[in-house]
Amino acid sequence: MSSNQGSSPIPQSSGGTSDGLFRKPRDPSMAPRHYRTLRSLPDVCPKEPTGEGRGLCDGPSVVADQHRWTVYNSKVNLPAALNDPRLAKRESDFFTKTWGLDFTETDVMPSFYLPNISREHFSSYLQETAQREKIHERCKNICLNKDDLSVPTITNNHGTMFMKPEFVLNDPATFNAVLPWSHFSVAGGKNSRDVASSRLLQEKLSHYLDVVEVSIARQISLRSEAFFHAMSSQHELQDRLRETADAVAKLRARTAAIDRVMCRGPLRALRDALTRSNCIKLHNKLKLMAAVHQTQPTVQLLLSTSEFVGALELIATTKEVLQQELQGIHSFRHLASQLCEMERLIDKMMVADFSTYTQSDLNRAFEEDSQVLEKDRLQSLVFGLLRQRKLDFLDIYSEEMIQAAKNIVRQCVVKSVLQISEIDADTVKLHEQMRLMTFHQWFDLLLDIFEHFILFLKRIKATLSVIRNVVLEVLDSSQRSRLEEESGGSTLHSGEAELAYLTHEGLFISDALNEAEQRSNATAHAQLRAQMHTETCGSDSASATTESSSSREHNANTTSSLPIGGAAVISEDVMPSDLELSRVANNVQELLYTASDVSHDRCVKVLMTRAKDGSLERLSSSEFVCLSQAVESFARDTEELCGRRSMSLRGALQSQANRFVQRFHEERKTKLSLLLDNERWKQAEVPAEFQDLVDSIADGRITLPERKPTGRSEDRKPSEFLCVDGQKYAVVGTVLLLIRMFLEYCQCVNDIPSITTDILTRLADLLKHFNSRSCQLVLGAGALQVVGLKTITTRNLALASRCLQLVLHYIPVIRAHFETRLQPRQYSILRHFDHITKDYNDHIAEISAKLVAIMDSMFEKALSKYEVKAPMPSACLRNVCKQMAKMHEAIYELLPEEQTQMLFLRINASFKLHLKRQLARLGVVNDGGPQYGLVMVDVAFYSENVQALRSLEHLDLNMPETWEQKR
C-alpha cells in the first residue's frame, strides 16, 4: 500500500481469487456444471386435466370468458404477419423470438435507490488510515522476518524469484536467472575451464539441494505436532466411517425386508383399486360425453316448440360441464362456441317473439276481452329474457306502446269522420278533419279517445302487472337460494378431510367434491333440484303444454345425466343480481307512468290541433266547462289507474283556460265599461230575479241560479230597493249587472278549479275598473260629457256611494269563496281584495267629503253676508235651513240613518265654523247684549229646523261652540 491518498489495487490471480494467493487456473473442461433445479415428478394420475405445454388452460376459455374480450375476438391477417417486410432475418435474436419484434435492447437506467459512489466518499477513511499506513511501511523496512534471517544467503538472492506467481523454468529469462550458464552457450568445443565450471555449478546445485532439504526439515520440525495430530485424527475418522457403513448396511437390509413383507402386496391392492375407480370414472365421463353429444338436437327440438327457457337451461348446463368436467376433450373443442352462437340466436328469437307479442297485444281490438293476451307465453318470455340478462326488453314495450297510442287517435278520428257526411276523408288531412268538425262532434270524438285510452291503460297495467310479478318471483327465488346456500355451507366444509383424501388418491377434484356433497348434503341437493324444476315449469307452463311427450322424455333423459350441482351454479351466475331485478321492477312501474304520460300527450295533440285556429277560445262558458270537466275526469281516471299525476293534458287545458279567461274577462270588462258610459246615475228598480240572486248569496250559494220560465218572473213586480242582510240599498242598473258578473266569475272557478288564481286576478281587475271608472264619471264629473248630465247632484253622489258600499259588502264573501279554492301556499294572492277594499273605502270617504264640501261652500257664501239685525230669524239663516232640508231630502232615502247622521254632524261642524268666523268679523260676543240675543234667535231657529228633519231628532248640534270662549 503506497503512501499517497489512494491505495494500490490488491493483486489478483488468474483464478479470480481475492485473497492475494497464487491459485492454479482450472481446466475449462473441469468447470462446475450447472444442473437444473430439482422438481417433483408429475403424478401418473393427475387430479385435474392440467393441459401441460400448449394445453387449453393456457388460453382463455370460450365458455367462461365469452362475455369479455379475449384473443378469440381479435382479427389477424396471418400472411401479412408472416411476410412482415420490416423483419430482415427472422428469429435472429433470442429475445425477439420470445418477446416479439417490439423488444429492443435499451440502456439500463441507473437505479434511483443506489447512491453514486465517488472517491470523495473514501476521503475520510483514507485520512484516518494514512498515519497507520506510514508506520506499517516503516516497520516492514526495519524489522525483518526471523525465518528469513536463518535462511542462507543463497536463498536471499533468488527467494523472491521462486515465490513469484509467474515462476516458470520454460521462460529463458527465468532459467538464465536461476542457472547463469550464459557462457556455455558460446559455440566451440569443451575445454578444461568449462569442465571446471560445470563441476562448480553441480556443486552449487548440490549445495542448493542441501539448503532446501535443511529448510524442509526445519519446517517439518516446527510443525511436527500438528502433523502427528492429523495422523491420529485420520485413524479415528476411519473407525467411525467403518461403524457408519455397518449401520447403513443393517438399515438397508431391514428396509428391504419391510418392503418385501409389508408394502408390495398392499400397494398392489391399492393400485388395482385405483385402476378400477379410474375405469368407473372413465365410464361415467363417456356417458357424460354421450349426453353432451345430444345437446344440439335436444336444443333444436326445444326451440321448435318455443321452449326457450328449457333450451337455455340445457345450454348453460352443457357449457358448465364442458368447462369443468370435459375440458380438453378434442372432439368437443368447437361445441362451446357453437353453444354460444345458439345462445345468441335464442336471444334474438326471444326479443323478436317479445316484440311480436307486444304488437299483437297492444294493437288488438278493444272490443275483445280485456284480459292479458296469452299470459303463460308472456311469463315464459319474460323469464327467458331475465335469464339471459336482456334487461332492456321494456324499451321494446315502450316503443310499441307509443306507436299503439298514435294508432288509437288515428282510428278514432277515422271512425268519427266516416259518420260525418260533410267531411271528405280522402281529400282532407287528419288534423284538418278535426278542425272541420263542430264543437259537439269534436267533443264526442274527444270523449271516444278518452274512453279508448282508459281501456288502453287498463290493458297495459294488466300486462305490466304480470311482468312485474315474474320479476318479483325471480327476485324472491334468488334470495331463497342464497339463504339455502348459506345454511348448507357448514355441511359442505365438514367434508374437507375426506375431499383431501380423495384428491390425494388421484381422483378428479370435481368428482371428489361431488362425492363429498352427495354424502353430506344429499337432501339439500334434492330439494334444490325440485325447486329449480318447479320454477322452470311454472315460468314456462305455456310452452310446456304444447311440448310433445317424446321431447319431454328426451330432455329429461339428457339433462338427468348432467351434474345437478353445475346447473345450480349456472342459474346463480347467469341470473341478474338482486339490485338489477329491483331496478327492473321499478322500471316496470315507471313504464306504467310513461303509459299515462303518453296517453295524455296524444290527447294534448288532439286538443292543440283543435285550438290552433282559436276555436276553443270562442267557446261559450258552458261549452268550455263541459270540456274542462271531461278533461279533469279523464285525468282523475288515469291518476287512479296508474298512480301518476300527469300534468301535460292539464297544462294544455290550463293554457286554453287562460286564453278563455282572458276573452271571458275582456267581454265582461268591455260590457261593464259600456254600461258605465251609459249610466245616468239614477236609482233603478230591482227586478225580482236580482233579489233572488242576492238571497241565494246570503244562503251561501255563490253560484248563478238556474233560469226560471219567463212567465213566473213577470208575476213579481220589481222593488225600489235591493235588500241585503236586512239593509236597503238604492242602486243603479250597472251595479246589479256587476253583481251578476262577479257571480259568473265565481261560477267559473267552481266549474274550472285550475283557473282559480287567474280568474281571481281578472275579477280584481274588474272591481278596480268599476271603482276607478265610477270615480271618473261621478267625482270627476266625467258623466257630464259622456252621458250629457247637466250637473252632478248630491243625489248622484249619494247613489254612487251606496253602490260602492254594496260592492264593498260582497268583497269578503267573494274572498271567502276563493280562499276555499286556493292552496295554502297561494293565499298571498288574496291581498288583491285588501287593496280593493281600501280603494273602495277611500272612494266612499271622498264622496262623503264631497257632500260636506258642497254644503261648506254654500255656508261660506251665505254666511259671508250675514248681519245681526231685525227681523229675526234672518233671511240668511232661512236660506241655510232651506238648503239643508234639500240636502236631507236628496240623501235620506239613499243612505242609511247612521250615515245620514254622521254626514249632518260634519255639515253642522262646517256651519258652526263659518258662523263663528262671521260673528268674530262682526264683533258680536256672548255678552248678553241685544246683538247676542238676535244671534241666539237665529241659532235657535237653525237648531229647530235641523232637528225637525227625519232621523235627526236626537242629533246633538252643540251650538254653544259657536261663540268664542272668554279668556
Side-chain angles (χ1 to χ4, degrees):
M1 185 177 295
S2 63
S3 61
N4 56 3
Q5 295 294 332
S7 60
S8 61
I10 299 175
Q12 299 290 335
S13 64
S14 61
T17 60
S18 60
D19 53 359
L21 300 179
F22 172 75
R23 298 184 183 273
K24 186 177 181 180
R26 298 180 178 178
D27 188 359
S29 61
M30 299 301 293
R33 298 177 181 177
H34 297 282
Y35 296 97
R36 291 182 296 176
T37 57
L38 296 177
R39 61 179 181 179
S40 59
L41 294 175
D43 196 351
V44 294
C45 189
K47 306 174 182 63
E48 280 284 350
T50 58
E52 294 292 338
R54 297 175 179 255
L56 295 177
C57 291
D58 293 341
S61 173
V62 294
V63 179
D65 302 325
Q66 61 175 319
H67 299 295
R68 66 183 184 89
W69 193 95
T70 62
V71 295
Y72 295 144
N73 299 104
S74 63
K75 304 295 186 298
V76 179
N77 188 348
L78 187 58
L82 295 177
N83 299 324
D84 189 355
R86 297 174 298 174
L87 191 60
K89 184 177 181 182
R90 189 165 303 280
E91 297 182 358
S92 60
D93 189 16
F94 170 77
F95 298 106
T96 304
K97 176 183 178 181
T98 305
W99 293 332
L101 297 176
D102 295 335
F103 179 83
T104 56
E105 294 184 359
T106 57
D107 296 335
V108 180
M109 295 293 295
S111 175
F112 297 102
Y113 302 100
L114 298 178
N116 187 12
I117 305 299
S118 62
R119 185 177 182 84
E120 285 73 12
H121 289 83
F122 301 95
S123 59
S124 60
Y125 172 76
L126 293 176
Q127 291 175 0
E128 293 176 359
T129 60
Q131 188 63 27
R132 296 170 58 187
E133 181 183 6
K134 293 179 181 179
I135 296 173
H136 177 69
E137 292 294 337
R138 190 182 303 114
C139 292
K140 286 173 59 177
N141 296 329
I142 296 174
C143 301
L144 299 176
N145 193 352
K146 60 182 179 179
D147 294 336
D148 296 337
L149 296 176
S150 59
V151 179
T153 308
I154 189 61
T155 59
N156 295 332
N157 297 331
H158 305 285
T160 56
M161 182 181 298
F162 295 140
M163 296 301 177
K164 289 184 179 180
E166 60 273 12
F167 178 77
V168 179
L169 291 178
N170 295 335
D171 186 7
T174 304
F175 183 80
N176 291 331
V178 176
L179 300 175
W181 288 357
S182 57
H183 54 278
F184 295 115
S185 59
V186 180
K190 293 183 181 181
N191 51 23
S192 58
R193 186 178 179 180
D194 293 336
V195 174
S197 298
S198 177
R199 291 177 181 173
L200 180 61
L201 180 59
Q202 290 179 0
E203 292 178 358
K204 191 175 183 178
L205 290 178
S206 300
H207 176 68
Y208 287 166
L209 180 60
D210 295 338
V211 171
V212 171
E213 290 177 354
V214 169
S215 178
I216 291 174
R218 181 175 178 275
Q219 292 296 331
I220 292 175
S221 64
L222 292 176
R223 293 170 177 78
S224 59
E225 184 178 356
F227 177 75
F228 289 111
H229 181 270
M231 292 300 294
S232 61
S233 299
Q234 182 71 19
H235 291 295
E236 184 179 357
L237 181 60
Q238 290 179 356
D239 295 338
R240 292 185 180 182
L241 287 176
R242 190 179 299 108
E243 294 176 359
T244 303
D246 295 339
V248 169
K250 292 180 181 180
L251 179 60
R252 287 182 174 179
R254 186 175 300 175
T255 303
I258 292 174
D259 177 66
R260 184 177 60 257
V261 176
M262 303 180 62
C263 296
R264 292 182 181 178
L267 284 176
R268 186 180 298 108
L270 289 176
R271 187 180 298 107
D272 294 341
L274 183 59
T275 302
R276 182 178 181 276
S277 177
N278 288 337
C279 291
I280 294 174
K281 297 302 179 183
L282 178 60
H283 181 256
N284 293 334
K285 295 294 181 184
L286 292 175
K287 291 194 298 183
L288 187 61
M289 291 174 62
V292 169
H293 184 67
Q294 295 297 323
T295 299
Q296 288 180 308
T298 307
V299 169
Q300 294 176 358
L301 181 62
L302 293 174
L303 292 180
S304 64
T305 57
S306 299
E307 186 79 18
F308 298 113
V309 178
L312 290 172
E313 289 293 339
L314 181 58
I315 290 175
T317 305
T318 305
K319 288 165 62 177
E320 183 71 15
V321 171
L322 286 174
Q323 184 179 2
Q324 292 185 356
E325 304 296 337
L326 301 180
Q327 187 177 11
I329 303 300
H330 186 72
S331 59
F332 288 152
R333 64 187 182 280
H334 301 304
L335 181 59
S337 59
Q338 293 173 359
L339 292 177
C340 292
E341 291 296 330
M342 294 182 68
E343 192 171 9
R344 296 190 187 97
L345 177 61
I346 293 175
D347 291 347
K348 295 179 181 179
M349 292 176 63
M350 286 193 301
V351 171
D353 198 6
F354 183 79
S355 178
T356 303
Y357 172 84
T358 304
Q359 292 177 1
S360 59
D361 178 49
L362 295 176
N363 295 321
R364 59 192 171 110
F366 289 98
E367 292 77 9
E368 299 179 2
D369 188 10
S370 60
Q371 299 296 326
V372 180
L373 178 66
E374 299 181 11
K375 180 178 179 181
D376 296 336
R377 177 188 175 191
L378 175 62
Q379 290 176 338
S380 175
L381 285 173
V382 173
F383 184 83
L385 292 169
L386 292 176
R387 170 70 173 69
Q388 291 303 105
R389 305 177 71 91
K390 297 294 181 181
L391 305 182
D392 56 346
F393 66 94
L394 293 178
D395 297 338
I396 300 175
Y397 194 90
S398 178
E399 294 174 0
E400 296 296 338
M401 178 181 66
I402 295 173
Q403 187 62 35
K406 295 180 181 179
N407 295 334
I408 288 176
V409 176
R410 185 178 295 106
Q411 292 173 3
C412 291
V413 173
V414 172
K415 179 181 176 182
S416 298
V417 170
L418 291 177
Q419 299 175 359
I420 302 173
S421 58
E422 293 83 2
I423 300 177
D424 188 1
D426 297 331
T427 59
V428 182
K429 295 182 179 180
L430 190 66
H431 60 277
E432 295 178 354
Q433 293 173 3
M434 287 188 283
R435 296 193 191 121
L436 292 176
M437 297 179 182
T438 63
F439 172 75
H440 295 289
Q441 293 172 345
W442 177 82
F443 186 68
D444 293 338
L445 169 64
L446 184 64
L447 294 178
D448 187 36
I449 292 174
F450 285 166
E451 182 180 358
H452 279 75
F453 270 120
I454 292 296
L455 297 175
F456 178 69
L457 291 177
K458 289 181 178 178
R459 180 173 295 175
I460 290 177
K461 183 178 181 180
T463 302
L464 293 181
S465 177
V466 174
I467 295 175
R468 192 168 187 271
N469 290 335
V470 172
V471 175
L472 293 179
E473 287 178 4
V474 173
L475 178 60
D476 183 63
S477 175
S478 175
Q479 293 174 350
R480 282 190 280 109
S481 299
R482 190 182 304 106
L483 292 176
E484 290 180 1
E485 288 180 0
E486 292 177 356
S487 62
S490 59
T491 308
L492 186 61
H493 288 297
S494 63
E496 290 181 352
E498 183 179 3
L499 176 61
Y501 174 75
L502 293 174
T503 306
H504 180 71
E505 286 187 346
L507 298 176
F508 290 100
I509 295 178
S510 56
D511 297 334
L513 180 61
N514 289 335
E515 289 186 4
E517 290 179 355
Q518 291 174 2
R519 296 175 184 176
S520 61
N521 202 15
T523 306
H525 274 292
Q527 294 176 355
L528 182 60
R529 180 172 52 190
Q531 178 183 353
M532 290 180 57
H533 179 72
T534 304
E535 291 179 356
T536 304
C537 295
S539 63
D540 203 8
S541 56
S543 300
T545 55
T546 60
E547 185 181 0
S548 62
S549 59
S550 60
S551 64
R552 286 197 299 267
E553 292 177 0
H554 188 77
N555 188 17
N557 294 331
T558 304
T559 56
S560 61
S561 59
L562 299 178
I564 302 300
V569 172
I570 288 175
S571 298
E572 191 66 25
D573 292 340
V574 173
M575 277 297 181
S577 63
D578 293 352
L579 180 61
E580 292 174 333
L581 292 174
S582 301
R583 189 180 295 115
V584 172
N586 294 333
N587 291 340
V588 172
Q589 186 64 34
E590 289 294 333
L591 190 58
L592 183 59
Y593 297 157
T594 304
S596 176
D597 294 340
V598 168
S599 302
H600 280 251
D601 292 342
R602 303 319 302 178
C603 294
V604 168
K605 293 285 186 182
V606 177
L607 188 66
M608 299 309 295
T609 302
R610 178 69 180 184
K612 192 171 184 180
D613 58 352
S615 59
L616 295 182
E617 301 175 15
R618 297 189 293 270
L619 296 178
S620 64
S621 300
S622 59
E623 290 175 343
F624 196 86
V625 166
C626 292
L627 175 62
S628 176
Q629 290 175 348
V631 171
E632 188 64 26
S633 176
F634 174 71
R636 285 196 304 268
D637 292 341
T638 56
E639 182 177 351
E640 181 181 358
L641 188 62
C642 303
R644 170 80 164 206
R645 184 175 177 83
S646 299
M647 298 304 298
S648 59
L649 184 57
R650 283 191 175 101
L653 180 65
Q654 181 68 36
S655 63
Q656 294 302 318
N658 293 336
R659 298 179 182 177
F660 170 77
V661 168
Q662 180 67 24
R663 184 193 58 81
F664 178 85
H665 173 65
E666 289 177 355
E667 288 180 357
R668 278 146 186 80
K669 187 176 180 179
T670 303
K671 182 178 180 181
L672 180 62
S673 298
L674 293 175
L675 290 173
L676 287 173
D677 291 343
N678 294 308
E679 182 60 58
R680 302 189 65 85
W681 297 102
K682 292 184 179 180
Q683 184 177 0
E685 294 182 346
V686 179
E689 60 175 341
F690 283 97
Q691 185 62 51
D692 295 338
L693 188 64
V694 170
D695 294 339
S696 66
I697 296 175
D699 295 338
R701 299 189 300 272
I702 315 297
T703 56
L704 289 174
E706 297 180 359
R707 293 186 177 272
K708 297 181 180 180
T710 309
R712 295 184 181 180
S713 62
E714 292 179 353
D715 295 341
R716 299 172 59 187
K717 295 181 179 180
S719 60
E720 188 176 358
F721 296 93
L722 184 67
C723 296
V724 179
D725 293 340
Q727 292 188 11
K728 293 182 179 180
Y729 287 87
V731 294
V732 296
T734 302
V735 174
L736 295 177
L737 295 177
L738 178 63
I739 294 174
R740 185 175 183 86
M741 284 181 187
F742 69 67
L743 284 180
E744 290 177 350
Y745 280 80
C746 295
Q747 183 68 38
C748 273
V749 171
N750 294 336
D751 296 332
I752 314 174
S754 61
I755 61 174
T756 301
T757 56
D758 198 11
I759 204 73
L760 188 149
T761 56
R762 308 294 183 182
L763 178 56
D765 180 66
L766 184 71
L767 295 176
K768 290 179 181 179
H769 177 70
F770 173 76
N771 182 45
S772 61
R773 188 59 180 160
S774 60
C775 181
Q776 295 171 3
L777 293 173
V778 179
L779 279 178
L784 299 180
Q785 292 81 17
V786 176
V787 185
L789 296 179
K790 295 180 180 180
T791 182
I792 302 299
T793 63
T794 55
R795 189 173 181 85
N796 297 139
L797 291 172
L799 189 60
S801 176
R802 198 55 176 160
C803 291
L804 293 173
Q805 293 174 23
L806 178 61
V807 176
L808 189 62
H809 172 78
Y810 281 111
I811 287 179
V813 179
I814 298 172
R815 178 192 178 108
H817 177 75
F818 276 89
E819 187 174 0
T820 58
R821 268 69 177 173
L822 291 173
Q823 299 293 331
R825 64 176 181 275
Q826 298 174 332
Y827 285 166
S828 61
I829 201 174
L830 296 175
R831 67 180 183 276
H832 292 295
F833 292 112
D834 298 333
H835 300 325
I836 294 172
T837 301
K838 181 179 181 301
D839 293 341
Y840 272 70
N841 284 325
D842 294 342
H843 191 184
I844 294 171
E846 290 177 2
I847 293 176
S848 299
K850 183 66 175 177
L851 293 174
V852 174
I854 292 173
M855 297 303 295
D856 184 79
S857 62
M858 187 271 296
F859 290 148
E860 183 180 4
K861 182 178 181 181
L863 292 176
S864 64
K865 301 177 181 180
Y866 175 68
E867 296 179 354
V868 183
K869 61 182 181 179
M872 292 295 169
S874 63
C876 179
L877 266 295
R878 290 178 185 274
N879 185 26
V880 168
C881 291
K882 182 179 179 181
Q883 293 296 331
M884 292 189 70
K886 288 183 179 180
M887 168 68 75
H888 181 271
E889 183 181 359
I891 68 174
Y892 174 72
E893 294 181 352
L894 302 180
L895 297 179
E897 183 177 344
E898 297 81 4
Q899 295 184 20
T900 304
Q901 293 176 356
M902 293 299 298
L903 181 62
F904 271 88
L905 282 175
R906 296 175 62 186
I907 294 173
N908 179 59
S910 176
F911 169 77
K912 289 188 292 183
L913 178 62
H914 288 287
L915 180 59
K916 184 176 180 180
R917 290 177 180 175
Q918 184 63 22
L919 291 176
R921 190 181 303 114
L922 296 175
V924 179
V925 296
N926 55 346
D927 54 358
Q931 288 185 336
Y932 172 77
L934 293 176
V935 172
M936 290 303 296
V937 173
D938 282 342
V939 170
F941 175 75
Y942 168 79
S943 300
E944 290 176 0
N945 278 276
V946 172
Q947 292 179 347
L949 299 176
R950 286 179 295 181
S951 71
L952 301 181
E953 295 86 359
H954 306 288
L955 190 66
D956 186 8
L957 300 178
N958 197 8
M959 296 308 295
E961 292 182 353
T962 306
W963 302 99
E964 289 283 349
Q965 300 295 328
K966 294 182 179 181
R967 298 180 180 176

